């Protein structure tokens, strides 16, 4: 039985695209991540939200607004960020992504959803030298999950990420998601069985990726079936 849950992003750019989504294509995903930032503005996100939740009502749903601060597609004030997350949280997503170092002040205002919160940190340029310290700050918030995604520039970046994820999992339990992006980091996406990383993110197909180095859903199913099946 697989240990690692497979997360598939949904990336519509218009409300019309939301309405046209073919849910059947996602049926083998464990979790659907709605990357709401691809819609580009708050009004469109709120307009699309009821359709997304209806479309994927039989799936576990992660709500993510990846901002320009961390490699996403929308720039948003701290006030609007909190307001948006609060409004969508009322629709009942299973998980809610919060960019901890970009919008730390959002967390105290969403504590009623603490067990659903995925505290995240994304660095599309490098593996920071203070990654362990950053993860420790996030862990101390005691949310449901902690996610870090760094850009692997060297092999040691990947090895360090794998070891750090393993260390935190052994100390605090299975709540960490550690990803090294890019070609070098692909191994991190399939190593959850060893490191304890609980989720892996894949592209629905070659045209639907949301981050560098993602495998496709069919590829990941084959690999995890071989490694964890």
């Amino acid at each position: 039985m697989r240990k690692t849950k497979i997360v598939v992003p949904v990336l519509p750019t218009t409300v019309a695209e939301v309405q046209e989504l073919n849910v059947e294509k996602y049926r083998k995903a464990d979790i659907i991540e709605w990357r709401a930032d691809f819609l580009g503005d708050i009004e469109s996100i709120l307009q699309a939200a009821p359709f997304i939740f209806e479309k994927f009502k039989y799936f576990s749903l992660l709500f993510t607004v990846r901002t320009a601060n961390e490699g996403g597609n929308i720039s948003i004030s701290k006030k609007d960020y909190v307001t948006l997350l609060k409004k969508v949280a009322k629709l009942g997503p299973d998980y809610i992504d919060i960019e901890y170092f970009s919008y730390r002040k959002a967390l105290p205002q969403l504590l009623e959803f603490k067990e659903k919160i995925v505290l995240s940190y994304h660095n599309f340029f490098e593996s920071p030298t203070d990654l362990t310290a950053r993860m420790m700050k996030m862990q101390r918030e005691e949310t449901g999950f902690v996610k870090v995604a760094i850009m692997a520039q060297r092999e040691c970046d990947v090895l360090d990420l794998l070891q750090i994820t393993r260390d935190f999992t052994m100390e605090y339990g299975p709540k960490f998601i550690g990803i090294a992006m890019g070609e070098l980091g692909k191994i991190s996406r399939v190593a959850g069985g060893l490191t304890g990383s609980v989720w892996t993110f894949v592209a629905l197909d070659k045209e639907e990726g949301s981050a560098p180095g993602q495998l496709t859903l069919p590829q990941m199913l084959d690999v995890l079936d071989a490694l964890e099946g």
Side-chain angles (χ1 to χ4, degrees):
M1 183 175 179
R2 282 195 284 111
K3 298 178 182 178
T4 309
K5 290 189 176 182
I6 299 175
V7 184
V8 180
V10 176
L11 315 169
T13 59
T14 66
V15 177
E17 285 183 16
V18 172
Q19 295 171 320
E20 294 169 3
L21 284 169
N22 181 357
V23 175
E24 179 63 20
K25 291 182 178 181
Y26 298 87
R27 63 183 176 83
K28 292 186 178 180
D30 297 308
I31 300 169
I32 298 298
E33 180 188 34
W34 177 27
R35 280 289 302 274
D37 53 290
F38 275 80
L39 284 159
D41 61 82
I42 295 174
E43 183 179 351
S44 296
I45 292 171
L46 293 176
Q47 185 181 353
F51 298 109
I52 286 284
F53 279 81
E54 177 61 26
K55 283 270 187 180
F56 294 101
K57 60 185 176 182
Y58 298 118
F59 292 77
S60 293
L61 185 66
L62 164 63
F63 175 64
T64 297
V65 179
R66 184 69 59 236
T67 71
N69 295 330
E70 301 200 17
N73 298 284
I74 191 171
S75 295
I76 185 170
S77 71
K78 292 181 180 180
K79 180 180 178 180
D80 287 344
Y81 183 82
V82 172
T83 299
L84 176 59
L85 264 59
K86 280 185 172 182
K87 287 183 177 180
V88 176
K90 291 179 181 178
L91 297 175
D94 297 275
Y95 311 103
I96 303 167
D97 181 285
I98 294 180
E99 295 176 352
Y100 183 61
F101 294 101
S102 297
Y103 296 95
R104 189 179 309 184
K105 292 182 180 179
L107 184 58
Q109 301 181 62
L110 292 159
L111 289 182
E112 63 184 295
F113 308 105
K114 197 170 186 178
E115 293 304 312
K116 294 184 174 185
I117 290 174
V118 181
L119 278 193
S120 67
Y121 166 66
H122 299 76
N123 189 323
F124 278 75
F125 302 101
E126 63 180 355
S127 177
T129 56
D130 63 345
L131 182 59
T132 298
R134 286 177 179 269
M135 286 184 68
M136 184 59 71
K137 287 180 180 179
M138 296 164 79
Q139 152 59 26
R140 286 174 181 155
E141 300 290 354
E142 298 183 337
T143 58
F145 299 88
V146 170
K147 177 192 177 190
V148 295
I150 56 89
M151 182 60 71
Q153 302 287 1
R154 303 168 299 170
E155 288 84 353
C156 62
D157 294 337
V158 181
L159 296 173
D160 288 347
L161 183 279
L162 297 178
Q163 186 63 59
I164 291 168
T165 305
R166 178 62 177 169
D167 290 345
F168 272 84
T169 297
M170 292 296 290
E171 183 70 21
Y172 301 106
K175 58 179 288 185
F176 297 94
I177 303 153
I179 298 167
M181 296 182 286
E183 290 298 309
L184 283 175
K186 283 184 175 180
I187 189 68
S188 71
R189 297 182 180 274
V190 301
L194 291 175
T195 66
S197 184
V198 292
W199 296 354
T200 188
F201 289 70
V202 306
L204 180 64
D205 54 44
K206 291 181 180 180
E207 306 300 323
E208 292 278 339
S210 62
Q214 285 182 342
L215 278 69
T216 65
L217 177 57
Q219 289 172 333
M220 185 62 74
L221 286 167
D222 287 344
V223 173
L224 292 188
D225 283 346
L227 294 178
E228 300 183 7

